[in-house]
Amino acid sequence: MTLTKHLYLTGFRGTGKSSVARLLAKQLGVTAIDLDEVVEQQAGISISRIFEEQGESAFRDLESTALATVAKFSPTLISLGGGAILRAENRTCIETTGTCIWLDADANTIAARLHQDETTAERRPALTTLPALQEIERLLDERRPIYEQTSQHRIATTDRSIDQVVNDILALLP
Ligand code: S3P
């Protein structure tokens, strides 16, 4: 399928963006871009190290630069980091260059998935001083309105397989 604009996947950590992007890219015959990977390539170090050595705000700067870079590529599938929608400039970039799909899940599901995911240590430093589940609950409360505002479609991923989610997305495409 030829995409006429980017297809962005947004949603909190652990909602399945990267796994869904890999399978969806195959089905669409496009190469998926993972924004976290682009940030790490451009910085030359892991996201955890960027947070540790330079702080979250420096990471957000790198994330905005990476988004502005990939947004200029030919239309493709772009999996965003869970906080990429926090900055207004990023939301404008997403809104003007693509269609955005929000993957959602409940806090317990997210906590379990993050615990099992081997990329968590390198890619997902703590964002608050709260215990893991409380951090997820707090940030989901704060971010859900922003995910909603930035996306055209919401897909629940709790208790659903990657195949099911991919099929839901394919059904939304023109
Ligand atoms: C973040 C999510 C991560 C990564 C970074 C910050 C966030 O991406 O960009 O650790 O603020 O929610 P994933 O959503 O791909 O885990």
Side-chain angles (χ1 to χ4, degrees):
M1 179 185 281
T2 310
L3 295 172
T4 53
K5 51 187 176 168
H6 293 306
L7 189 58
Y8 290 102
L9 296 182
T10 190
F12 200 74
R13 295 166 160 181
T15 52
K17 301 181 298 286
S18 302
S19 311
V20 167
R22 275 192 290 274
L23 183 58
L24 184 58
K26 267 196 205 151
Q27 307 263 9
L28 292 173
V30 301
T31 305
I33 294 175
D34 184 314
L35 196 64
D36 286 341
E37 273 175 23
V38 178
V39 171
E40 288 185 327
Q41 278 159 12
Q42 290 186 341
I45 53 173
S46 69
I47 290 175
S48 292
R49 269 192 62 197
I50 299 170
F51 269 69
E52 213 174 283
E53 294 171 8
Q54 303 167 38
E56 179 172 349
S57 148
F59 167 76
R60 298 294 170 205
D61 290 343
L62 292 168
E63 187 176 48
S64 296
T65 303
L67 176 60
T69 304
V70 300
K72 293 198 189 88
F73 293 173
S74 317
T76 194
L77 175 60
I78 301 173
S79 169
L80 300 165
I85 43 67
L86 294 174
R87 286 197 175 170
E89 69 187 272
N90 295 352
R91 295 197 294 275
T92 303
C93 176
I94 294 162
E95 280 156 16
T96 53
T97 61
T99 301
C100 187
I101 296 180
W102 168 26
L103 303 187
D104 199 13
D106 64 52
N108 286 310
T109 300
I110 289 173
R113 288 180 186 162
L114 294 185
H115 189 66
Q116 282 160 16
D117 186 341
E118 59 193 22
T119 66
T120 292
E122 288 293 291
R123 288 257 166 94
R124 301 186 177 115
L127 298 167
T128 66
T129 53
L130 294 168
L133 184 61
Q134 281 178 41
E135 171 172 301
I136 294 166
E137 286 168 344
R138 158 84 65 83
L139 294 181
L140 273 177
D141 277 352
E142 283 176 20
R143 290 184 183 179
R144 275 197 174 118
I146 311 174
Y147 292 130
E148 184 164 26
Q149 172 200 335
T150 313
S151 58
Q152 283 73 52
H153 307 280
R154 171 185 173 276
I155 297 183
T157 68
T158 301
D159 295 328
R160 305 200 64 241
S161 69
I162 293 166
D163 279 295
Q164 286 173 320
V165 174
V166 166
N167 285 337
D168 284 357
I169 296 173
L170 289 172
L172 292 170
L173 300 180

